[in-house]
Amino acid sequence: MIFHSEYCQEHTYRKNGKEIVNPIQKMVIGGHVVCPRCELEKEHQALTNEVQAYYDGFQSQKIYNIFLNKSIITDQTILNASFENYETSIQEER
């Protein structure tokens, strides 16, 4: 672990109603000078976004399955009905 002489001034905390800057010493990781706390926050945000995307997809499928399984519709072709595939049996007169 190699520490760098620079400090990150982005991190604060509140004390007695005031915002106090909490300088974090930067580190050299993989040849780059980075703030370890900023890197941790980036990783946390990426993981949070990934979990949220998975959860949103899971919830959508779960809700769809509930509607599908609890539906009173017995004709399954209605589930695929849309304006794009609508056909009428009435002939238009011209």
Side-chain angles (χ1 to χ4, degrees), residues 75-86:
D75 183 2
Q76 294 297 313
T77 59
I78 293 175
L79 296 175
N80 296 324
S82 68
F83 286 113
E84 285 79 29
N85 62 14
Y86 177 75

Side-chain angles (χ1 to χ4, degrees), residues 21-54:
V21 174
N22 183 22
I24 305 292
Q25 189 171 10
K26 292 185 177 185
M27 300 173 67
V28 179
I29 300 175
H32 297 89
V33 178
V34 296
C35 170
R37 187 164 170 190
C38 288
E39 289 298 307
L40 183 64
E41 289 172 0
K42 285 179 194 173
E43 289 179 16
H44 179 265
Q45 188 61 47
L47 182 60
T48 300
N49 292 344
E50 186 178 330
V51 169
Q52 188 63 43
Y54 172 80

Side-chain angles (χ1 to χ4, degrees), residues 2-93:
I2 301 171
F3 286 98
H4 197 266
S5 60
E6 294 180 25
Y7 284 84
C8 180
Q9 303 291 329
E10 299 296 319
H11 310 287
T12 61
Y13 64 94
R14 292 190 70 77
K15 183 175 182 181
N16 298 327
K18 294 181 181 179
E19 286 284 322
I20 308 294
V21 174
N22 183 22
I24 305 292
Q25 189 171 10
K26 292 185 177 185
M27 300 173 67
V28 179
I29 300 175
H32 297 89
V33 178
V34 296
C35 170
R37 187 164 170 190
C38 288
E39 289 298 307
L40 183 64
E41 289 172 0
K42 285 179 194 173
E43 289 179 16
H44 179 265
Q45 188 61 47
L47 182 60
T48 300
N49 292 344
E50 186 178 330
V51 169
Q52 188 63 43
Y54 172 80
Y55 180 74
D56 289 345
F58 179 74
Q59 274 300 101
S60 298
Q61 187 63 40
K62 185 177 177 182
I63 290 169
Y64 176 79
N65 288 340
I66 288 172
F67 279 116
L68 182 65
N69 294 331
K70 303 291 183 185
S71 177
I72 61 171
I73 298 173
T74 56
D75 183 2
Q76 294 297 313
T77 59
I78 293 175
L79 296 175
N80 296 324
S82 68
F83 286 113
E84 285 79 29
N85 62 14
Y86 177 75
E87 295 178 12
T88 180
S89 60
I90 301 172
Q91 296 290 337
E92 291 184 19
E93 293 182 26

